[in-house]
Amino acid sequence: MSTLNVKIGCMRTSTFLLLIYIMIGYSSIAQSRDEVEVRGLLASQTKEWNAGNIPAFMNTYWKSDSLMFIGKTGITYGWQKTLDNYKKNYPDTAAMGKLKFDLLEVKRLSSGYFFVVGKWHLTRSIGDIGGIFTLLLRKVANQWLIIADHSS
């Protein structure tokens, strides 16, 4: 084998490895961008809640009858029913307080799903409350939305 053939073979291998490295790098960037969007969604929720705007807070949820919310009273299905329950349980800004999330895990399950675990805390003049939540998010029409929420 000539020196030229060895050099060409090494160049092909190097080029191939470089392409693999670039593909892995782009994949990581895409995952990071999605995680940033998911974290941004939760920051948006906090902002809207703290502004006393429950309907805007609900923009992060899937507007579907299949939305699942699991709370202390059981399972609720549907975006409108979930909104109605939030309005009933938090009728004013005193009841809503100021929301803070402590994200414990933000985990990609696949290209279209994220799983989030965290703590929530409401600082309120009528008494603080808090608990744990798990969220399942799905990418719908190029937007991350909460499709299942278990808050306790």
Side-chain angles (χ1 to χ4, degrees), residues 12-143:
R12 286 184 185 149
T13 302
S14 297
T15 303
F16 176 74
L17 291 175
L18 179 62
L19 287 173
I20 295 294
Y21 179 75
I22 289 170
M23 289 170 46
I24 291 170
Y26 282 133
S27 173
S28 296
I29 290 168
Q31 290 175 357
S32 296
R33 187 177 329 119
D34 285 336
E35 184 173 331
V36 167
E37 288 177 19
V38 167
R39 289 176 181 274
L41 174 142
L42 296 169
S44 172
Q45 273 198 316
T46 303
K47 177 183 167 231
E48 297 301 346
W49 184 273
N50 291 339
N53 193 343
I54 292 175
F57 171 85
M58 286 292 297
N59 285 337
T60 57
Y61 285 89
W62 186 30
K63 267 195 176 173
S64 167
D65 291 339
S66 297
L67 169 67
M68 180 190 305
F69 185 94
I70 306 161
K72 65 182 177 183
T73 60
I75 300 174
T76 299
Y77 287 98
W79 186 90
Q80 187 62 51
K81 181 68 174 152
T82 301
L83 172 63
D84 294 344
N85 285 345
Y86 270 123
K87 287 181 173 182
K88 180 178 126 189
N89 293 323
Y90 301 98
D92 54 37
T93 54
M96 290 176 74
K98 295 299 178 188
L99 175 64
K100 179 181 182 280
F101 286 140
D102 180 15
L103 301 181
L104 303 175
E105 184 163 352
V106 178
K107 182 177 179 124
R108 175 185 287 278
L109 299 178
S110 71
S111 63
Y113 289 90
F114 263 89
F115 180 69
V116 177
V117 178
K119 295 178 184 178
W120 62 273
H121 184 83
L122 294 179
T123 302
R124 311 183 308 172
S125 60
I126 60 174
D128 294 359
I129 58 172
I132 301 288
F133 66 89
T134 57
L135 304 173
L136 181 62
L137 292 95
R138 187 173 100 189
K139 199 159 202 176
V140 178
N142 231 10
Q143 179 183 6

